[in-house]
Amino acid sequence: MLGIGGFTPLEGFMTHADWQGVCDGMRMASGLFWPIPITVSTDGATAAAFHTGNDIALADPDDGTILATMKVTEKYRINKAHECATVFRTADLEHPGVKMVMEQGEVNLAGPVKVLSQGGFPERYGPLFMTPAQTRTAFEANGWSTVAAFQTRNPMHRSHEYLAKVAIEVCDGVLVHSLLGNLKPGDIPAEVRTRAIALLIDQYFGKNTVVQAGYPLDMRYAGPREALLHALFRQNYGCSHLIVGRDHAGVGNYYGPFDAHHIFDEIPRDALQTRPLKIDWTFWCYRCGGMASARTCPHGEKDRLLVSGTKLRKWLSEGDAVPAEFSRPEVLDILREYYAGLDARDKVEVKLSGHSAR
Amino acid sequence: MLGIGGFTPLEGFMTHADWQGVCDGMRMASGLFWPIPITVSTDGATAAAFHTGNDIALADPDDGTILATMKVTEKYRINKAHECATVFRTADLEHPGVKMVMEQGEVNLAGPVKVLSQGGFPERYGPLFMTPAQTRTAFEANGWSTVAAFQTRNPMHRSHEYLAKVAIEVCDGVLVHSLLGNLKPGDIPAEVRTRAIALLIDQYFGKNTVVQAGYPLDMRYAGPREALLHALFRQNYGCSHLIVGRDHAGVGNYYGPFDAHHIFDEIPRDALQTRPLKIDWTFWCYRCGGMASARTCPHGEKDRLLVSGTKLRKWLSEGDAVPAEFSRPEVLDILREYYAGLDARDKVEVKLSGHSAR
């Protein structure tokens, strides 16, 4: 994100003063609005091996590829619990973002970064991996001046299609922006997800109303603070709006369903140019005879089609019919194929490990 | 509209200089943005009977009630064809707005107006007749800061419900604002229309998302220029947005379907505070399985449910079923009752006039 201009105007990883200001008041030492610390850490022994002023290399933890060089301007320790309390509003280790912070190295390193590699994303995702300069160029080529970003880490069912289409009714276009970074275990991988989304756009969206792209960032599940980060970097991608649904970037029950809506009213008006398109929970309502949100449908839960992720996976794995009011058949076909592959692998693994009774 | 603050900051009927500036460049002599002349006229003999500086009474043409007094500051003749060419973009007498201008008196009177009566609207429409101060108070009581006006002179079918609901998804609320002035012959009267709309709101809209009200103004069918007037007076009613659909305030084929969208981009950015919510033609699409607009649905006309006014009236008069995807059954019941009454009256009139063979 630093290398492709997603985090402009950051030039590298944050200093202790930046970290403190961002945790406490969402401001860097320079006064720049920023909602979540962008830091890099290492263990104490590694940090002790070099001095501030040194240039160091940052490598991919998986394959050792050198991704960037960094001039270390500061080494500092943080109060991790303080970061968790301010950013995640909890110190519970069950929270995946808290776990990530608590498990990171003991020493943070600050300094400007020179990015050398895009970390395999362009090779892996091809034209789906677009830099902010590329999305801005695409919007300009389409003649769009208002563009809403639809942030997704899941395949798009009809509730997500409805969110995107409300945005298309009131903006020039939508950027369906898939997270290509790390997710929680059990989430649908980006390759499957983006293929299902591409088919949905092709079959159910108007020509030249959608750009699909992906961005290289992990989820933090920081709820309201992450909604602000999602809006902030969409500004760099050229988006005028960010669709913010119910419990945006949340996990479990750590955040109120509308905390990520309210926080946009709690920051100074000039902190962000990208504005939220706040939309409530969306679903098919049988009495409305259409898609709706909890704002536009006056009926009760019994009239609404509600499908949990667990129920959907069960339906798909067991070959049961999924209501067309919940998801498009073309999307369901891709997910069925994915789950069938998973189940086959599960069975193979089960056999190899000898648990044939399962 | 002058008396209730709908046309604030106008203090009365326009002078010749105002009229000229509004026709030619949508600016009054003071520089104030205004898209359509607001003038009063009389015949030459009546005008000759008094002098500028006189106070005159303005009376209801139907029952003679004194509605206002006016200090006449100027008497002037206009080039009616010029008003028609600039405001209506046509001089065709088939155009109802052109006809109205061409048939008005030969002399226009300018001057400040003191309004004495609301012309029977409060008595006739009760709480539905709301002044701009009243709608602003209602919005404030609801805690709304963004409100979209939905301009209507027709009952609301699902395509209109969809427009209003898109606005509710992105604004705090919607003002369903019915014209209570004069319409074309054959249009549904305001009493029937507003009753059908009230039932629709009650059964199909979320609580506290809609205010229904009416305003006392005749249609001019001036298409794009009238869309600007509709936005301008909604500013006085406290609306941040005006929903502008396809061929807004148009009639026949005098205007391109999106002329009323484009004109908002052709005026200076600071001319109007109330912004357009531009939405394309809306309908039920069988392949989408939902309401959509020509922007959000990629399918063809054969997949869309299109019902002309003539076809609907035929269905309703003859007791045929109307698809639930076109209109809500509760709305259709009210319209069926209205058309049944009309047909009964038609039959009585036919019998009285002796054309029993018809």
Side-chain angles (χ1 to χ4, degrees):
Chain A
M1 289 295 275
L2 286 168
I4 62 177
F7 280 165
T8 299
L10 293 197
E11 290 176 355
F13 291 104
M14 291 183 179
T15 66
H16 187 261
D18 291 333
W19 174 87
Q20 190 79 52
V22 167
C23 287
D24 295 347
M26 299 196 278
R27 291 276 171 196
M28 292 178 60
S30 67
L32 183 77
F33 173 79
W34 206 277
I36 291 184
I38 305 298
T39 55
V40 70
S41 67
T42 188
D43 60 274
T46 307
F50 55 84
H51 303 285
T52 58
N54 285 167
D55 280 306
I56 62 168
L58 300 177
D60 186 317
D62 295 331
D63 63 9
T65 317
I66 305 297
L67 299 175
T69 62
M70 174 177 176
K71 181 176 285 297
V72 180
T73 59
E74 187 183 346
K75 302 192 276 187
Y76 61 98
R77 284 170 195 265
I78 56 163
N79 179 342
K80 289 181 177 182
H82 183 68
E83 178 168 333
C84 293
T86 53
V87 173
F88 300 108
R89 303 185 180 181
T90 174
D92 186 350
L93 279 168
E94 296 292 311
H95 185 294
V98 170
K99 185 164 180 286
M100 192 178 78
V101 170
M102 297 312 287
E103 288 176 355
Q104 77 190 24
E106 286 311 302
V107 180
N108 280 7
L109 307 175
V113 161
K114 195 178 161 187
V115 175
L116 305 172
S117 158
Q118 295 183 348
F121 285 100
E123 296 75 16
R124 189 162 167 194
Y125 295 103
L128 197 66
F129 181 79
M130 293 175 85
T131 65
Q134 288 171 325
T135 58
R136 289 197 307 266
T137 302
F139 300 161
E140 216 173 295
N142 285 342
W144 295 353
S145 63
T146 54
V147 185
F150 178 69
Q151 148 77 35
T152 182
R153 55 182 204 255
N154 289 305
M156 289 174 74
H157 301 299
R158 287 200 63 181
S159 57
H160 311 105
E161 179 186 326
Y162 177 73
L163 290 169
K165 286 187 168 178
V166 166
I168 292 170
E169 296 294 9
V170 299
C171 293
D172 296 330
V174 156
L175 173 67
V176 172
H177 216 194
S178 283
L179 181 135
L180 303 177
N182 292 320
L183 293 158
K184 295 194 304 308
D187 285 344
I188 308 259
E191 287 87 343
V192 177
R193 183 178 3 124
T194 53
R195 195 153 51 86
I197 291 173
L199 199 55
L200 178 78
I201 294 171
D202 182 60
Q203 299 286 310
Y204 293 97
F205 281 79
K207 291 270 165 283
N208 300 320
T209 61
V210 185
V211 167
Q212 189 189 186
Y215 67 98
L217 188 67
D218 296 349
M219 280 302 295
R220 285 154 168 82
Y221 303 96
R225 286 260 195 152
E226 191 158 3
L228 294 176
L229 183 69
H230 284 167
L232 188 154
F233 73 73
R234 260 49 174 252
Q235 201 163 299
N236 290 326
Y237 279 90
C239 299
S240 58
H241 292 82
L242 172 70
I243 299 169
V244 184
R246 199 169 172 123
D247 199 25
H248 185 101
V251 63
N253 291 310
Y254 294 100
Y255 310 107
F258 300 112
D259 285 359
H261 286 183
H262 300 323
I263 200 165
F264 283 90
D265 304 319
E266 294 157 8
I267 59 171
R269 186 65 181 80
D270 62 353
L272 276 176
Q273 286 169 29
T274 297
R275 307 301 310 151
L277 265 187
K278 302 173 182 177
I279 308 189
D280 206 323
W281 187 34
T282 56
F283 44 78
W284 179 273
C285 167
Y286 287 99
R287 276 194 64 201
C288 286
M291 296 304 302
S293 79
R295 262 181 75 70
T296 50
C297 162
H299 307 122
E301 290 218 359
K302 67 172 177 30
D303 297 309
R304 298 171 180 172
L305 177 61
L306 308 171
V307 180
S308 68
T310 314
K311 196 181 200 177
L312 177 64
R313 178 162 177 179
K314 187 169 175 291
W315 282 346
L316 291 172
S317 297
E318 299 180 0
D320 291 339
V322 177
E325 292 85 3
F326 177 74
S327 193
R328 301 297 184 182
E330 295 85 348
V331 169
L332 293 169
D333 285 347
I334 290 179
L335 298 183
R336 266 195 205 94
E337 183 187 304
Y338 165 69
Y339 282 119
L342 265 195
D343 290 347
R345 277 196 296 282
D346 282 353
K347 280 172 198 149
V348 171
E349 281 163 22
V350 165
K351 275 185 190 150
L352 289 175
S353 62
H355 295 289
S356 58
R358 190 178 151 190
Chain B
M1 291 295 274
L2 286 167
I4 61 177
F7 281 164
T8 298
L10 293 197
E11 291 176 352
F13 291 104
M14 291 183 178
T15 66
H16 186 260
D18 291 334
W19 174 86
Q20 191 80 52
V22 167
C23 287
D24 295 346
M26 299 196 278
R27 292 275 172 198
M28 292 177 60
S30 65
L32 184 77
F33 174 79
W34 205 277
I36 292 185
I38 305 298
T39 55
V40 70
S41 68
T42 188
D43 60 274
T46 307
F50 55 84
H51 302 285
T52 58
N54 286 167
D55 281 306
I56 61 167
L58 301 177
D60 186 317
D62 294 330
D63 63 9
T65 317
I66 304 297
L67 299 175
T69 61
M70 172 178 178
K71 183 177 285 295
V72 180
T73 58
E74 188 184 346
K75 301 193 276 186
Y76 62 97
R77 286 170 193 264
I78 57 163
N79 179 344
K80 290 181 176 182
H82 183 68
E83 178 168 332
C84 293
T86 53
V87 173
F88 300 109
R89 303 184 180 182
T90 174
D92 186 350
L93 279 168
E94 295 291 311
H95 185 295
V98 170
K99 186 164 180 284
M100 191 178 79
V101 170
M102 297 312 286
E103 288 177 355
Q104 77 189 22
E106 287 310 303
V107 181
N108 280 6
L109 307 175
V113 161
K114 195 177 160 187
V115 176
L116 305 172
S117 158
Q118 294 184 348
F121 285 101
E123 296 74 17
R124 189 162 167 195
Y125 295 103
L128 197 65
F129 181 79
M130 293 174 84
T131 64
Q134 288 171 326
T135 57
R136 290 198 306 267
T137 302
F139 301 160
E140 217 174 295
N142 284 343
W144 294 353
S145 62
T146 54
V147 184
F150 178 68
Q151 149 77 33
T152 182
R153 56 183 203 254
N154 289 306
M156 290 175 74
H157 301 298
R158 287 199 63 181
S159 57
H160 312 106
E161 179 187 327
Y162 177 73
L163 290 169
K165 286 187 168 176
V166 165
I168 292 170
E169 296 295 9
V170 299
C171 293
D172 296 330
V174 156
L175 173 66
V176 172
H177 216 194
S178 283
L179 180 135
L180 303 177
N182 293 319
L183 293 157
K184 295 195 304 306
D187 284 346
I188 308 260
E191 288 87 342
V192 176
R193 179 172 16 115
T194 53
R195 195 153 52 86
I197 291 172
L199 199 56
L200 179 77
I201 293 170
D202 182 60
Q203 299 286 309
Y204 294 97
F205 281 78
K207 290 269 165 281
N208 300 321
T209 61
V210 185
V211 167
Q212 189 190 185
Y215 67 97
L217 189 66
D218 296 351
M219 280 301 296
R220 285 155 167 79
Y221 303 97
R225 284 260 194 151
E226 192 158 2
L228 294 176
L229 184 69
H230 283 168
L232 187 155
F233 74 74
R234 261 49 174 250
Q235 202 163 298
N236 289 326
Y237 279 91
C239 300
S240 58
H241 293 80
L242 172 71
I243 299 168
V244 183
R246 199 169 172 124
D247 199 24
H248 184 101
V251 63
N253 290 311
Y254 295 98
Y255 310 107
F258 299 113
D259 285 359
H261 285 183
H262 300 323
I263 200 166
F264 283 90
D265 304 319
E266 294 157 7
I267 59 171
R269 187 64 181 80
D270 61 354
L272 276 176
Q273 286 169 30
T274 297
R275 306 302 309 150
L277 265 187
K278 302 173 183 176
I279 308 189
D280 206 323
W281 187 33
T282 57
F283 44 77
W284 178 273
C285 168
Y286 289 99
R287 277 195 64 202
C288 286
M291 296 303 304
S293 79
R295 263 181 74 71
T296 49
C297 161
H299 307 121
E301 290 218 359
K302 67 172 176 35
D303 297 310
R304 297 171 181 172
L305 176 62
L306 308 172
V307 180
S308 69
T310 315
K311 196 181 201 177
L312 177 65
R313 177 160 179 182
K314 186 169 175 293
W315 282 346
L316 290 172
S317 299
E318 298 180 1
D320 291 339
V322 177
E325 292 85 1
F326 177 74
S327 192
R328 301 299 184 182
E330 295 85 348
V331 169
L332 293 170
D333 285 346
I334 290 179
L335 298 183
R336 264 194 206 98
E337 184 188 302
Y338 165 69
Y339 283 119
L342 266 195
D343 290 347
R345 277 196 296 282
D346 282 353
K347 279 172 201 151
V348 170
E349 281 162 22
V350 165
K351 274 185 192 151
L352 288 175
S353 63
H355 295 288
S356 57
R358 188 175 149 190

